[in-house]
Amino acid sequence: LAKTTQPVSMDSYEGQEVNITCSHNNIATNDYITWYQQFPSQGPRFIIQGYKTKVTNEVASLFIPADRKSSTLSLPRVSLSDTAVYYCLVGDMDDYKLSFGAGTTVTVRA
Amino acid sequence: ETGVTQTPRHLVMGMTNKKSLKCEQHLGHNAMYWYKQSAKKPLELMFVYNFKEQTENNSVPSRFSPECPNSSHLFLHLHTLQPEDSALYLCASSQVTRAGGFHGQYFGPGTRLTVT
């Protein structure tokens, strides 16, 4: 399993863009990059997944450079309700038993 | 009902009790998972069922016993638990294709378990 490293915490204000970078230097060729969001006492929620370049959906964008050794989750115009823990996971079908690290606690202030 | 559901949402049990947690997924997925999340700790993967076969058991004590009767249902049978087993137990499902590709896990709301 590729090991991931994320910042422990980030603070932001409403309306700002939040970018969380995850390092995964030993990512394998078949690995996908997946991000989850978790609120207290709830299960993680799948946000976005990508393999290379850029992926965008209705809630976030995922930027993956050509070497794939890192990825950045971008949350546009955050609100107070985006305060949560965000997890970056890396793995492929054979590694679907993914391991969650400590994640990044994002706190959005008014 | 859609997504992944778990029952009960809250459970208090004594150390000598036997109880079961239930998970049901309505997403047509073929893999299901049990996770444990203790206070202020990362999620710990406990069991994985892929195509109804248990493919992962992360050294979980035998007082936790999983059962996967079909691809939509997953149970976690509990007996003789310890107070340190108190945690949030999360079920998840995903679609795993033999051709390759992992498409993200979808989690249920969890069962908050307290062992007294």
Side-chain angles (χ1 to χ4, degrees), chain A residues 5-76:
Chain A
T5 303
Q6 303 175 233
V8 173
S9 62
M10 297 180 71
D11 289 343
S12 184
Y13 291 92
E14 284 189 293
Q16 290 188 336
E17 179 182 80
V18 172
N19 296 306
I20 309 171
T21 296
C22 177
S23 298
H24 27 80
N25 290 319
N26 59 339
I27 188 169
T29 302
N30 295 330
D31 284 348
Y32 286 77
I33 300 158
T34 311
W35 286 81
Y36 293 85
Q37 173 192 58
Q38 186 179 24
F39 299 112
S41 298
Q42 294 186 26
R45 182 175 75 103
F46 174 87
I47 300 176
I48 197 166
Q49 184 182 69
Y51 183 78
K52 61 180 179 181
T53 62
K54 176 184 175 181
V55 180
T56 298
N57 61 23
E58 63 276 9
V59 297
S61 294
L62 179 59
F63 299 91
I64 306 169
D67 66 6
R68 305 200 326 125
K69 293 184 183 299
S70 67
S71 59
T72 299
L73 174 73
S74 181
L75 306 172

